[in-house]
Amino acid sequence: GRVNPSGRLPLTVHKSQYLKGVGPVSNLNMTFGEQGRTYRRLASQKEDAWFSFGWGLSYSKFEYSDLKAGKTSVSVTVENAGSVAGAEVAQLYLGLGSEGSALPAVKYALAGFEKVMLAAGAKATVTFPLEAEQLTVVGSDGMRKPATGAVSVSVAGYLPTDPRATDGPDAKSASNVVA
């Protein structure tokens, strides 16, 4: 208990039954036809993954509030609601639509992260700058194109679709939808 863990997984740990259905990887293009190979398009986090990209544990409980999403930045308040000091890795995910186009929709794409150290009961505002490239989708030709439709914004200490995040006491997320 001298150090409060705050690391996050850089990959998804899949269940063996999911991996049996994937088969050999002969095409590394993960934008079209290879749905479910990355955290961005995994059909069911609960059924297909033991642990999702971005997952981690802490001795503290962190809560998110006051999400503000604008055209150039996203900010959120992170509070250590636990009884011990700890570091939280706030993760910004953007959901990018592609209504009326041949581009693939991206349910969640990691667009930024910030590690913040908080004493028990302390709060901090975390601000993520938004760049034009973050609001693009990679097409089948490998080129980035502007996403169309609404952009969903979620900030949490985990992938928003991870079922363990909503089942357990570890954190609350903040999310919103902006046009």
Side-chain angles (χ1 to χ4, degrees):
R2 289 186 194 150
V3 176
N4 194 343
S6 61
R8 296 294 188 258
L9 287 176
L11 51 85
T12 298
V13 179
H14 295 285
K15 293 182 178 179
S16 60
Q17 63 265 29
Y18 170 80
L19 294 174
K20 288 178 187 174
V22 171
V25 178
S26 58
N27 180 356
L28 297 179
N29 178 355
M30 295 194 184
T31 58
F32 288 99
E34 301 295 331
Q35 301 296 318
R37 294 246 174 116
T38 73
Y39 76 91
R40 292 178 175 198
R41 295 181 178 89
L42 194 60
S44 172
Q45 295 285 332
K46 191 168 192 164
E47 294 176 19
D48 298 334
W50 287 111
F51 299 101
S52 299
F53 172 88
W55 183 252
L57 296 175
S58 175
Y59 296 134
S60 296
K61 177 182 177 183
F62 296 96
E63 295 183 355
Y64 292 74
S65 61
D66 301 324
L67 179 71
K68 294 181 177 86
K71 292 187 183 283
T72 60
S73 68
V74 173
S75 66
V76 68
T77 300
V78 181
E79 177 181 4
N80 182 346
S83 59
V84 296
E88 172 69 331
V89 180
Q91 301 168 39
L92 169 65
Y93 290 93
L94 300 178
L96 304 172
S98 61
E99 298 169 10
S101 78
L103 296 173
V106 176
K107 193 170 187 176
Y108 294 106
L110 181 67
F113 61 92
E114 182 77 30
K115 192 170 195 175
V116 57
M117 183 67 172
L118 296 170
K123 293 181 182 182
T125 299
V126 177
T127 301
F128 300 96
L130 285 180
E131 304 294 331
E133 185 175 321
Q134 291 169 299
L135 301 173
T136 62
V137 178
V138 178
S140 60
D141 60 358
M143 302 302 293
R144 289 191 171 275
K145 297 173 178 75
T148 59
V151 175
S152 65
V153 178
S154 298
V155 183
Y158 49 82
L159 186 65
T161 56
D162 193 309
R164 285 159 290 280
T166 57
D167 292 343
D170 293 322
K172 290 184 179 176
S173 68
S175 63
N176 194 7
V177 176
V178 296

